[in-house]
Amino acid sequence: MIAMHQQVKKYISYFFLFLFLFPTIEKQVHAFEHSTDVHCKATDKHFHTLEHSCTICEFTISNSDAAPETQLQFIISAEQFTFHSFIALVNKPAAFQDLPSRAPPVA
């Protein structure tokens, strides 16, 4: 039972590792597919035909929905408080009444 549990944990960890690394691997595979493409390296302004056509490279997210309007109201609350500094000269004789009168034995 424990060995099967360890096997399941191992396969689940491999699954999450693959899930985590998939976007990076897919991006590099896609770049490798385009490694033989010829691109124009001229620095002057000119026009020419489309260099390559790829649905992944040309994908753009177009969200035509307007941002929803929200009515936000921030309320800042504050409380008045007073700070009394520590008074060092207060004598409280009963402060040490619950302590034992002798120290523990030293070995």
Side-chain angles (χ1 to χ4, degrees):
M1 180 71 178
I2 294 176
M4 185 177 76
H5 183 68
Q6 293 293 332
Q7 289 286 66
V8 169
K9 284 175 56 177
K10 182 174 79 169
Y11 290 127
I12 288 174
S13 66
Y14 285 140
F15 171 74
F16 282 119
L17 180 66
F18 173 75
L19 192 67
F20 178 71
L21 293 178
F22 178 75
T24 305
I25 294 169
E26 192 277 331
K27 183 179 179 183
Q28 294 304 320
V29 167
H30 184 76
F32 183 73
E33 289 173 356
H34 288 293
S35 65
T36 58
D37 293 349
V38 177
H39 296 283
C40 180
K41 292 183 173 45
T43 57
D44 59 337
K45 187 181 233 184
H46 64 281
F47 297 101
H48 49 81
T49 59
L50 186 64
E51 293 178 356
H52 76 277
S53 178
C54 175
T55 56
I56 295 176
C57 294
E58 296 169 359
F59 180 74
T60 57
I61 298 174
S62 60
N63 187 1
S64 61
D65 296 340
E69 292 185 23
T70 56
Q71 299 288 332
L72 297 177
Q73 181 180 9
F74 294 101
I75 299 172
I76 300 175
S77 62
E79 290 185 28
Q80 294 289 336
F81 66 94
T82 57
F83 176 73
H84 300 288
S85 62
F86 179 70
I87 301 171
L89 301 176
V90 174
N91 185 12
K92 294 194 176 196
F96 300 107
Q97 73 181 9
D98 295 331
L99 294 176
S101 60
R102 119 181 226 272
V106 178

